Amino acid sequence: MKKLISVILFLCSVSTANGYADELLTQKCTFTLPEFTTFGGKSISDVKVGWESYGTLNKDKSNVILVTHFFSGTSHAAGKYRTTDSSSGYWDSIIGPEKAIDTDKFFVVSVDTLVNLHPYSPNVITTGPATINPKTGKPYGLSFPVVTIRDFVNVQKALLESLGIKKLYAVIGASMGSMQAAEWASVYPDWVPRMISVIGTTQSNAWTTAALESWAIPIRLDPNWHKGNYYGLEKQPVDGLKASLMLISMQARHPKGVIAMGDKLGYQPVEPEPLEHITQSHSIVNEFAEMAAKRATYADANHLLYLVRASQLFITGHGDSLESGLQKIQAKTLFISAQTDLLLYPALAESAHSYLRDKGHNSAYKELTGPLGHLEGVLDIQEQAAAIEAFLAD
Amino acid sequence: MKKLISVILFLCSVSTANGYADELLTQKCTFTLPEFTTFGGKSISDVKVGWESYGTLNKDKSNVILVTHFFSGTSHAAGKYRTTDSSSGYWDSIIGPEKAIDTDKFFVVSVDTLVNLHPYSPNVITTGPATINPKTGKPYGLSFPVVTIRDFVNVQKALLESLGIKKLYAVIGASMGSMQAAEWASVYPDWVPRMISVIGTTQSNAWTTAALESWAIPIRLDPNWHKGNYYGLEKQPVDGLKASLMLISMQARHPKGVIAMGDKLGYQPVEPEPLEHITQSHSIVNEFAEMAAKRATYADANHLLYLVRASQLFITGHGDSLESGLQKIQAKTLFISAQTDLLLYPALAESAHSYLRDKGHNSAYKELTGPLGHLEGVLDIQEQAAAIEAFLAD
């Protein structure tokens, strides 16, 4: 059974590799693990995750770059599924032929995490509380075990091993993806000679954990959440989910970017509608609400809670101290922060970089300069394309 | 009727003035306005607010300093009601005999705002959605008109006029209190020769408005909120209120302060309970939840929504531009920011200060240096006590 899966996967990756034309095209593949044991010691059967690749795996399988995705992201890191797609994967500006992560040289792999935020997307394959528990025939709901960044990494490793890969060329991830990258470098140092952390952190501190909690709060208040048992019911916890996504959108930005949004909308402190009645809102609030409603389309409320928890539980190496986790890293490292990031603020990455450098590691630190806050690491990553390309060159 | 009220008030203030011993003692007084018209043009009958004073009104009534309170604050700015009280008013470190705001010289007045957050506190008197509408005999709920910072100011002015006061010596306020102070200075420039803004802003920009909205979101999601019609019902929107207060507490702090809180609690990213089950939380989250539960005791959910709205609608002068509002200010000004403030971040006050200074005004700018974020302006104000004292000296 396990061997058969590997064969299917290999075919999938070959097919992907052959799909390139002038435009980078990709497809979603599925990886299945019949049994998986979490970091917390719980078992999950029939784990499925989606994955994509860009570029061609070389003969000695030495050109693999793993891209780990952010909280609300998916494995669609670059390219299109069809030439008619309206948009490309989120890091298309740096992944592709002759780009910073050059798919003419590298075989780039990205994997949907467990408990991915968007289980209802046609382009996401994930396992989480919205998944049918094979033992009961019903969705797991909150009986799904708590999963961690380590678990995301372990599923990725099993996938890579199924492709016959035994070592990465590099791992790179933004935000929650940076957590996975750091975990990879610490727990599987033999696999990771190069690690790039973008808008990242090497642990959740007390403040990060509290800030993350604010994303969970609206969902638990929604009367349609029903303590997680809403699957199959007529009313879904959409209001709580939208409110949560609205908080995430707001916290991922910086005043500079939001003020620019407001200027485009014609925002004024004294607008007639919110002055007229308490149930009406300012233009900038309506704009965030509309964005959140769109983002909620394929998202699941319980999955969001599990992503919050995985992020809260993160410390590199999942041990008692950050130092013990960082000390295991052998990789050359590059940390890229965003100056306007108020969520995973620059000092978090800078302190990890300084620690490693002071211990004699080869570590570099760069900053994105734009006004988009945490989103800089996703939307403006091309500003550091040259640094990424140079880092990968040797 | 109106004259009688004034007499009662005057007696109240005299009584207060006579109450001083070694310890600063005060009492809560009530001010009533039979009719009030809001900035939005709506009428409210029988407006009542509480107020306190410290020090003695001099003969020519020229020694009045008005203290305007913050979002979750009350008129209890200093002193105690009884010598046995466990704590004093929030700015007791700078208000009192021989303190920065010297009650041996000044008659210091503070007033509960309309829609004060804590209508159920025995020490707060306010008028808002939880108040009985005299026309229906039932609480206003969301039929209460939207009120603005201008309305808070206008009620304060009516109170001061009822005491025969025609001009302030100074106005000072923190956070939402700074909005009231700026509004006073702009709309009644003849009244305000000196204005001190602490952790303040002279307008809500698009980002502030969005950030404030996040405090309203949890309340509206609580099934017991019933679109504001929860008064008299068995179940109250306590969960939404607590969640909102938790967000406020978290956003008013800085990572430095929260990390210090976490250290005291023994916070770890990998704690056994949150790893064990999704319904359990980290120690730092539990701490914030307990603090919020305590803060919710006397608070009202609708009042919180109205305070959010008043703050969102704020621009100095309530006109079309900040410049037109600031240009009307004649007062000498002092702006005191907190370096770690992530909510009303220093650049907000600094830009207003720079604008006034560049226009030739007498304006000064100082910063609090501690790790408590926005809370610095309440908890660590004594760091700038000397600057406040010097500013008030001439």
Side-chain angles (χ1 to χ4, degrees):
Chain A
M1 177 69 185
K2 210 171 175 181
K3 203 173 178 185
L4 177 63
I5 293 160
S6 296
V7 171
I8 293 168
L9 286 167
F10 188 63
L11 286 174
C12 188
S13 76
V14 166
S15 163
T16 304
N18 290 344
Y20 297 150
D22 289 347
E23 196 161 30
L24 183 64
L25 290 178
T26 188
Q27 61 176 301
K28 190 71 65 172
C29 306
T30 305
F31 172 65
T32 305
L33 267 175
E35 286 296 333
F36 180 77
T37 302
T38 68
F39 174 73
K42 309 285 167 69
S43 293
I44 314 173
S45 300
D46 197 34
V47 165
K48 284 189 168 59
V49 291
W51 64 284
E52 307 188 359
S53 64
Y54 327 97
T56 307
L57 184 61
N58 63 10
K59 268 199 177 170
D60 60 359
K61 301 183 178 179
S62 63
N63 68 333
V64 181
I65 295 183
L66 178 68
V67 177
T68 48
H69 72 69
F70 51 97
F71 191 96
S72 59
T74 74
S75 60
H76 196 38
K80 293 182 173 182
Y81 300 118
R82 293 158 295 272
T83 52
T84 51
D85 287 355
S86 59
S87 63
S88 302
Y90 65 91
W91 264 357
D92 198 71
S93 65
I94 55 164
I95 302 173
E98 297 180 31
K99 293 182 183 175
I101 302 177
D102 188 348
T103 51
D104 290 343
K105 293 181 191 166
F106 297 114
F107 179 66
V108 181
V109 178
S110 187
V111 189
D112 294 325
T113 64
L114 296 169
V115 302
N116 183 284
L117 184 56
H118 303 284
Y120 309 120
S121 164
N123 295 318
V124 169
I125 299 150
T126 188
T127 303
T131 306
I132 302 290
N133 179 348
K135 286 175 187 133
T136 65
K138 294 175 184 170
Y140 283 100
L142 301 196
S143 76
F144 195 78
V146 167
V147 288
T148 62
I149 298 295
R150 171 78 66 85
D151 298 313
F152 300 174
V153 164
N154 282 344
V155 171
Q156 290 155 5
K157 184 161 173 277
L159 160 62
L160 294 168
E161 287 172 337
S162 78
L163 297 173
I165 294 164
K166 288 174 180 158
K167 185 173 181 174
L168 295 171
Y169 186 85
V171 60
I172 176 171
S175 192
M176 191 183 78
S178 82
M179 298 179 177
Q180 297 163 64
E183 188 72 1
W184 259 107
S186 173
V187 180
Y188 303 113
D190 294 345
W191 275 69
V192 185
R194 295 169 196 84
M195 186 276 276
I196 306 178
S197 163
V198 178
I199 49 168
T201 187
T202 50
Q203 75 161 102
S204 279
N205 62 34
W207 185 83
T208 321
T209 294
L212 284 162
E213 189 69 18
S214 67
W215 304 355
I217 284 173
I219 286 169
R220 291 196 298 253
L221 284 167
D222 188 324
N224 296 322
W225 178 60
H226 290 298
K227 298 191 175 177
N229 296 314
Y230 52 82
Y231 299 108
L233 299 182
E234 192 187 345
K235 290 186 175 178
Q236 296 287 298
V238 179
D239 289 342
L241 179 60
K242 285 195 284 193
S244 172
L245 293 169
M246 194 168 156
L247 291 184
I248 294 173
S249 283
M250 296 192 304
Q251 291 183 20
R253 289 169 193 266
H254 182 273
K256 282 184 191 176
V258 177
I259 289 167
M261 279 173 70
D263 289 344
K264 274 192 195 169
L265 294 166
Y267 162 85
Q268 293 285 334
V270 186
E271 294 184 355
E273 296 81 5
L275 178 63
E276 177 59 27
H277 201 272
I278 192 72
T279 55
Q280 301 198 55
S281 303
H282 279 84
S283 54
I284 187 72
V285 171
N286 296 337
E287 176 75 3
F288 272 112
E290 283 165 29
M291 283 164 47
K294 279 182 202 159
R295 295 183 70 187
T297 312
Y298 298 127
D300 180 78
N302 283 340
H303 278 229
L304 196 154
L305 298 183
Y306 278 76
L307 284 170
V308 162
R309 180 56 50 84
S311 303
Q312 289 175 322
L313 286 165
F314 178 62
I315 182 167
T316 301
H318 284 75
D320 289 336
S321 78
L322 180 58
E323 290 69 23
S324 69
L326 292 179
Q327 278 164 14
K328 291 180 187 131
I329 293 176
Q330 294 173 12
K332 175 172 92 159
T333 52
L334 169 61
F335 294 87
I336 302 174
S337 295
Q339 287 173 357
T340 53
D341 193 340
L342 298 176
L343 193 56
L344 297 183
Y345 48 100
L348 294 169
E350 207 285 330
S351 66
H353 157 70
S354 297
Y355 178 86
L356 290 168
R357 188 199 52 202
D358 294 349
K359 290 271 175 191
H361 284 255
N362 182 344
S363 185
Y365 177 80
K366 301 278 181 183
E367 288 188 347
L368 299 160
T369 58
L372 298 180
H374 193 59
L375 296 183
E376 279 292 317
V378 179
L379 302 180
D380 277 349
I381 187 64
Q382 70 278 6
E383 189 189 336
Q384 290 295 342
I388 294 169
E389 189 173 356
F391 179 84
L392 294 175
D394 64 10
Chain B
M1 176 70 185
K2 212 171 175 183
K3 202 171 177 184
L4 178 64
I5 294 160
S6 296
V7 172
I8 294 168
L9 287 166
F10 189 64
L11 287 173
C12 188
S13 76
V14 167
S15 164
T16 304
N18 290 342
Y20 298 149
D22 289 347
E23 196 161 28
L24 184 64
L25 289 177
T26 189
Q27 61 176 301
K28 190 71 62 172
C29 306
T30 304
F31 172 65
T32 304
L33 267 175
E35 286 297 332
F36 180 76
T37 303
T38 67
F39 174 73
K42 307 284 168 67
S43 293
I44 314 173
S45 301
D46 197 33
V47 164
K48 284 188 169 62
V49 291
W51 65 283
E52 307 189 0
S53 64
Y54 327 96
T56 308
L57 184 60
N58 63 10
K59 270 200 177 168
D60 60 359
K61 302 183 178 180
S62 64
N63 69 334
V64 182
I65 295 183
L66 178 68
V67 178
T68 48
H69 72 69
F70 50 97
F71 191 96
S72 60
T74 74
S75 59
H76 196 37
K80 292 182 173 183
Y81 301 117
R82 293 158 295 271
T83 52
T84 52
D85 288 356
S86 59
S87 62
S88 302
Y90 65 91
W91 264 356
D92 198 72
S93 65
I94 55 164
I95 301 172
E98 297 180 32
K99 293 181 182 175
I101 301 177
D102 188 347
T103 52
D104 290 343
K105 293 183 192 166
F106 297 114
F107 180 64
V108 181
V109 178
S110 187
V111 190
D112 294 325
T113 63
L114 296 169
V115 302
N116 183 284
L117 184 57
H118 303 284
Y120 310 120
S121 165
N123 296 319
V124 169
I125 299 151
T126 189
T127 304
T131 305
I132 302 290
N133 179 348
K135 286 174 188 135
T136 64
K138 294 176 184 171
Y140 283 99
L142 301 197
S143 76
F144 195 78
V146 167
V147 287
T148 62
I149 299 296
R150 171 79 66 86
D151 297 313
F152 300 174
V153 164
N154 282 344
V155 171
Q156 291 155 5
K157 183 160 172 277
L159 160 63
L160 294 168
E161 286 171 338
S162 78
L163 297 174
I165 294 164
K166 288 173 180 161
K167 186 173 179 173
L168 296 171
Y169 185 86
V171 60
I172 177 170
S175 193
M176 191 183 78
S178 81
M179 297 179 178
Q180 297 164 64
E183 188 73 358
W184 259 107
S186 173
V187 179
Y188 304 112
D190 294 345
W191 276 68
V192 186
R194 295 169 195 83
M195 187 275 276
I196 306 178
S197 163
V198 178
I199 49 169
T201 188
T202 50
Q203 76 160 101
S204 279
N205 62 34
W207 185 83
T208 320
T209 294
L212 284 162
E213 188 69 19
S214 68
W215 304 355
I217 285 173
I219 287 170
R220 291 197 299 254
L221 283 167
D222 188 325
N224 296 322
W225 178 60
H226 289 297
K227 298 190 177 179
N229 297 314
Y230 52 80
Y231 299 109
L233 299 182
E234 192 188 343
K235 290 186 174 177
Q236 296 286 300
V238 179
D239 289 343
L241 178 61
K242 285 195 283 193
S244 172
L245 293 169
M246 195 168 155
L247 290 184
I248 293 172
S249 283
M250 297 193 305
Q251 290 183 20
R253 289 169 193 267
H254 182 272
K256 283 184 188 174
V258 177
I259 289 167
M261 279 173 69
D263 288 346
K264 274 191 193 168
L265 295 166
Y267 162 84
Q268 292 284 335
V270 186
E271 293 183 354
E273 296 81 4
L275 178 63
E276 177 60 25
H277 201 272
I278 192 72
T279 56
Q280 301 198 57
S281 304
H282 280 84
S283 55
I284 187 73
V285 171
N286 296 336
E287 176 76 4
F288 272 111
E290 283 165 29
M291 282 163 49
K294 279 182 202 158
R295 295 182 72 187
T297 311
Y298 298 127
D300 179 77
N302 284 340
H303 279 228
L304 196 154
L305 298 182
Y306 278 76
L307 284 170
V308 162
R309 180 57 50 83
S311 302
Q312 288 175 321
L313 286 165
F314 178 63
I315 182 167
T316 300
H318 284 75
D320 289 337
S321 79
L322 180 58
E323 290 70 23
S324 68
L326 292 180
Q327 278 164 12
K328 291 179 187 132
I329 293 176
Q330 294 173 12
K332 177 173 91 159
T333 52
L334 169 62
F335 294 86
I336 301 174
S337 295
Q339 288 173 356
T340 53
D341 192 340
L342 298 176
L343 193 55
L344 298 184
Y345 49 99
L348 294 170
E350 207 284 332
S351 66
H353 156 71
S354 297
Y355 178 87
L356 290 169
R357 189 199 51 201
D358 294 350
K359 290 272 173 191
H361 285 256
N362 182 344
S363 186
Y365 177 80
K366 301 278 181 183
E367 288 188 348
L368 299 160
T369 58
L372 298 180
H374 193 59
L375 295 183
E376 279 292 318
V378 179
L379 302 180
D380 277 349
I381 186 65
Q382 70 278 6
E383 189 189 335
Q384 289 295 342
I388 293 168
E389 190 173 355
F391 179 83
L392 294 175
D394 65 10

